[in-house]
Amino acid sequence: MNDMDRADRAPRSGDDALRRRWHACLAAARSGDEGADPLPYADNLLARWAEPQRRYHTTAHLAAVLDHVDTLAGHAADPDAVRLAAWFHDAVYRPDRSENEERSAVLAERALPEAGVPAATTAEVARLVRLTVSHDPADGDTNGEVLCDADLAILAAPPKEYAQYAARVREEYGFVPAEAFREGRAAVLRQLLELPRLFRTPYGAAEWEARARHNLSTELELLAR
């Protein structure tokens, strides 16, 4: 990543586990040993995930999505590409902008070839990142199903954790007036509840679907009070 792409900050010791995970998934996706030192890429991405405007879309969310990808990896055609997509899917995140996924995909398209990732894998990572706009993978798109389910798994969290997630989303949109936020958030929740399926993997459908729908319905009721 060149200088204009850099988002510098002092490294945190708590990021060491994520750096190791980055190194492992990059090594698995590379063609041979060629490619730049993986550490600067990890630090750049972790800096982005720790930007001050984030409250929910943080390194904790990144780690959770990676954990969920690991749970669902057996369903994916290329779990290494899915893990790289998880790293990039919210690498660019400004809650007041609508092009975050596209900018994140473009970042992946620039960074991964430098890091030694083959063109086909880079293209798949970028496609998966763009898919998180809709979270609507086509039937048979197992990589897309895994990434989208992993990203939405927070919807099936225990009630206290879900309430914390909802509160952090509200903090990220603190610039939006209360009534406008309630209307917008309620519209998002209704849209999700109207989907025939929130989760596309067999594990997600069995383990997460019912609890996620309960959480969404509860939040929608609370917003209406």
Side-chain angles (χ1 to χ4, degrees), residues 18-102:
L18 281 169
R19 289 191 187 91
R20 288 192 294 271
R21 295 178 82 163
W22 164 259
H23 194 286
C25 74
L26 182 62
R30 277 177 166 174
S31 51
D33 296 328
E34 296 183 1
D37 179 359
L39 183 59
Y41 293 85
D43 286 344
N44 181 287
L45 286 165
L46 289 170
R48 293 173 180 276
W49 282 93
E51 291 166 340
Q53 76 276 10
R54 299 170 183 256
R55 293 296 182 271
Y56 168 66
H57 294 88
T58 64
T59 53
H61 172 59
L62 169 61
V65 172
L66 290 169
D67 288 344
H68 295 313
V69 170
D70 287 347
T71 297
L72 303 171
H75 184 74
D78 187 350
D80 296 320
V82 179
R83 290 185 180 98
L84 286 175
W87 274 91
F88 280 93
H89 82 285
D90 283 321
V92 178
Y93 183 75
R94 293 292 299 270
D96 58 338
R97 297 180 182 176
S98 60
E99 72 278 11
N100 292 314
E101 293 86 358
E102 177 60 27

Side-chain angles (χ1 to χ4, degrees), residues 180-192:
F181 179 82
R182 280 195 297 272
E183 291 177 1
R185 179 68 178 172
V188 169
L189 297 175
R190 283 192 291 267
Q191 183 179 27
L192 288 169

Side-chain angles (χ1 to χ4, degrees), residues 94-174:
R94 293 292 299 270
D96 58 338
R97 297 180 182 176
S98 60
E99 72 278 11
N100 292 314
E101 293 86 358
E102 177 60 27
R103 294 177 67 202
S104 296
V106 169
L107 181 66
E109 288 170 333
R110 289 203 305 262
L112 290 176
E114 291 178 5
V117 175
T121 303
T122 296
E124 176 65 355
V125 170
R127 182 189 74 83
L128 291 169
V129 171
R130 292 184 172 102
L131 185 59
T132 61
V133 174
S134 66
H135 291 95
D136 187 20
D139 290 342
D141 178 7
T142 58
N143 288 341
E145 289 173 348
V146 169
L147 180 63
C148 291
D149 278 18
D151 195 26
L152 294 180
I154 183 61
L155 301 181
K160 183 177 179 180
E161 185 179 342
Y162 183 89
Q164 291 172 341
Y165 146 74
R168 287 168 184 157
V169 170
R170 177 64 183 111
E171 289 176 14
E172 285 187 339
Y173 287 87

